[in-house]
Amino acid sequence: MKKEVNSACIFFSSPHREGHTHKLLDIFMEHVKVSELGIVDCYERNVNPCIDCGYCKVHRACVFSDMDDIDRYLKKADLLIFVSPVYNFSFPAPMKAVLDRMQRYFCARFYGNLRPPIDKRKKAVLLASCGSKGTFGIKIMEAQLNKIFTIINCSLIGSVLLEGTDTLGEIPKNIEANIKELVNNF
Ligand SMILES: Cc1cc2nc3c(=O)[nH]c(=O)nc-3n(C[C@H](O)[C@H](O)[C@H](O)COP(=O)(O)O)c2cc1C
């Protein structure tokens, strides 16, 4: 039986729609039924990077409007689904730009005194793939998300890493089991 989720948003950050990372998302989506789904394809969107202009220190908004729909998702979603390959132990640049742009919520909290800057409490998962064997990259990515999640009222409930994609044939069986376990946790 699929887990029912009212409102969710996918942040997808691979340049390959049929790559290893997307396979993780396909498996995840087989186990959830989402009533209202937002999809942010970070490569397609290619949002402006944060320019630290200070606008959000004064206004409760960003100087750029290209993430206004993402702001609405963050205020409405019950679940955020981050889906990304590991690039140099981190997120690819288009996803990093999306994450850096969440600086406006730090400013809302620390300059605008909004506590919390986003009322809606929500959960998140991270699905990642990497070419080599090793968890260093995903640990860094989790740390980056956890820092931002403190301010956007979100908790990372778990991650699934598909490692060794450089030499991988089929998706190992344990990956689907790990994804099922992740779904059971929220
Ligand atoms: C620019 C770049 C940087 C990468 N950095 C890492 C890395 O730090 N560690 C690693 O294990 N794999 C690294 N990889 C390999 C990718 O994480 C891996 O091929 C991934 O499974 C690609 O997912 P995709 O099929 O969705 O594109 C890198 C690949 C690229 C293109």
Side-chain angles (χ1 to χ4, degrees):
M1 200 164 101
K2 292 188 178 196
K3 186 81 160 232
E4 297 205 7
V5 180
N6 194 24
S7 175
C9 184
I10 296 168
F11 293 85
F12 179 69
S13 183
S14 169
H16 302 123
R17 294 240 175 105
E18 295 185 6
H20 292 100
T21 315
H22 205 287
K23 285 183 189 147
L24 295 175
L25 178 59
D26 292 339
I27 297 170
F28 184 86
M29 295 310 287
E30 281 168 17
H31 295 282
V32 292
K33 183 171 172 232
V34 182
S35 305
E36 196 182 348
L37 182 65
I39 301 176
V40 178
D41 182 328
C42 297
Y43 273 86
E44 192 181 276
R45 293 284 297 261
N46 208 15
V47 301
N48 284 295
C50 176
I51 55 168
D52 193 14
C53 63
Y55 185 89
C56 63
K57 291 181 180 169
V58 182
H59 305 88
R60 301 283 69 78
C62 180
V63 74
F64 299 124
S65 60
D66 57 0
M67 276 186 45
D68 286 356
D69 61 328
I70 296 176
D71 176 57
R72 287 193 292 276
Y73 293 143
L74 295 179
K75 288 174 176 160
K76 195 162 186 211
D78 303 294
L79 179 69
L80 306 181
I81 306 158
F82 286 85
V83 191
S84 178
V86 176
Y87 276 12
N88 294 307
F89 300 136
S90 184
F91 293 100
M95 173 84 94
K96 183 64 166 48
V98 168
L99 295 174
D100 287 348
R101 289 278 301 285
M102 295 185 191
Q103 185 68 10
R104 60 175 284 190
Y105 305 110
F106 282 90
C107 289
R109 164 70 180 79
F110 293 105
Y111 294 88
N113 217 17
L114 279 184
R115 298 165 191 238
I118 295 181
D119 289 329
K120 177 80 191 228
R121 185 94 194 104
K122 57 200 154 296
K123 294 174 179 173
V125 296
L126 171 61
L127 308 174
S129 81
C130 65
S132 62
K133 295 260 181 184
T135 57
F136 187 62
I138 197 165
K139 294 284 171 228
I140 291 176
M141 292 154 85
E142 287 172 347
Q144 291 179 49
L145 290 179
N146 279 326
K147 174 179 183 286
I148 294 162
F149 288 173
T150 61
I151 214 77
I152 64 164
N153 215 346
C154 188
S155 313
L156 182 64
I157 56 163
S159 307
V160 170
L161 174 67
L162 175 64
E163 54 184 340
T165 60
D166 284 348
T167 53
L168 197 69
E170 294 289 299
I171 304 275
K173 287 270 177 283
N174 71 311
I175 291 292
E176 175 146 20
N178 293 347
I179 289 177
K180 271 189 191 166
E181 196 183 324
L182 189 62
V183 171
N184 284 336
N185 285 343
F186 63 79

